[in-house]
Amino acid sequence: FDSLDPARTYYAYSWNYQRIYQRTLLMFKPAVGKEGAQVTGDLAEGPGEFSSDGLTVTYKLRDGITFETGAAITSADIKYALERSFAEDVITGGPGSTYLKPVLAGGADYKGPYKDKAGLASIDASDPKKIVFHLSKKFSDFDYLMALPVSTPVPQAADTGKNGGANYQFHVVSSGPYKVGTY
């Protein structure tokens, strides 16, 4: 694998490996053939609900989802994970925010949570059981972006070390079903 950090990995075989210790907002159906290219709920109950104008996407989180520590996974953990991918000066090696910048409102100018503590306003995590995305343009494949490892929740308290979160890959917090013992 190239990295244990979901924001720093880019190889498909690493993404397959990561499915055993992390969960994403959505996931590709565990099926063969064409069905395996469809997305389904993982941390979210199901695919996003798009507003009538196509510029807002809402996901409802499942009940009982937790980190390996037993702490509840909330929408804020997913928001933080996505935001850290924008810190391309710290989080290197993965796709970064390449796919998110052009579709999230304000995404083109956002530099990540290490430089902008206020966060990206176009990701609303005010309800711990719901995450809402405000898009800059219609993007019908947004669900596919939320099936990428970058939507794996990261507890902000665990994203520490020199240079912000650059060391998270050495102590990832699992969202299950297995965890990394040592690295």
Side-chain angles (χ1 to χ4, degrees), residues 48-93:
E49 296 174 22
F50 284 77
S51 62
S52 59
D53 65 3
L55 296 176
T56 303
V57 188
T58 303
Y59 298 91
K60 294 176 185 163
L61 300 186
R62 294 182 188 276
D63 291 330
I65 52 176
T66 63
F67 288 109
E68 67 181 71
T69 60
I73 294 171
T74 68
S75 59
D77 299 313
I78 297 166
K79 174 182 167 110
Y80 182 73
L82 293 165
E83 288 176 339
R84 65 192 290 274
S85 75
F86 283 78
E88 294 173 342
D89 58 329
V90 176
I91 308 296
T92 59

Side-chain angles (χ1 to χ4, degrees), residues 16-37:
N16 284 334
Y17 173 73
Q18 288 176 335
R19 288 173 73 150
I20 66 172
Y21 67 89
Q22 67 186 24
R23 294 176 69 183
T24 48
L25 193 59
L26 298 177
M27 67 181 285
F28 288 94
K29 258 187 176 175
V32 297
K34 290 181 182 180
E35 269 193 77

Side-chain angles (χ1 to χ4, degrees), residues 33 39 41 44 46 50 68 72 77 84 95 112 126 140 146 151-152 157 165 171 173 181:
V39 292
F50 284 77
E68 67 181 71
D77 299 313
R84 65 192 290 274
S126 57
S140 60
M146 295 301 104
S151 76
T152 298
H171 305 285
V173 179

Side-chain angles (χ1 to χ4, degrees), residues 83-167:
E83 288 176 339
R84 65 192 290 274
S85 75
F86 283 78
E88 294 173 342
D89 58 329
V90 176
I91 308 296
T92 59
S97 58
T98 303
Y99 303 116
L100 294 172
K101 276 183 184 182
V103 296
L104 286 178
D109 299 319
Y110 185 63
K111 301 297 180 200
Y114 312 119
K115 291 185 178 170
D116 184 350
K117 304 282 186 205
L120 187 54
S122 58
I123 304 175
D124 178 359
S126 57
D127 180 336
K129 298 287 291 170
K130 181 169 68 172
I131 188 164
V132 181
F133 297 91
H134 301 281
L135 309 182
S136 58
K137 61 183 178 182
K138 293 180 182 182
F139 188 69
S140 60
D141 286 338
F142 194 76
D143 282 342
Y144 286 91
L145 294 182
M146 295 301 104
L148 296 175
V150 72
S151 76
T152 298
V154 173
Q156 187 171 358
D159 191 27
T160 61
K162 187 178 178 185
N163 299 322
N167 293 333

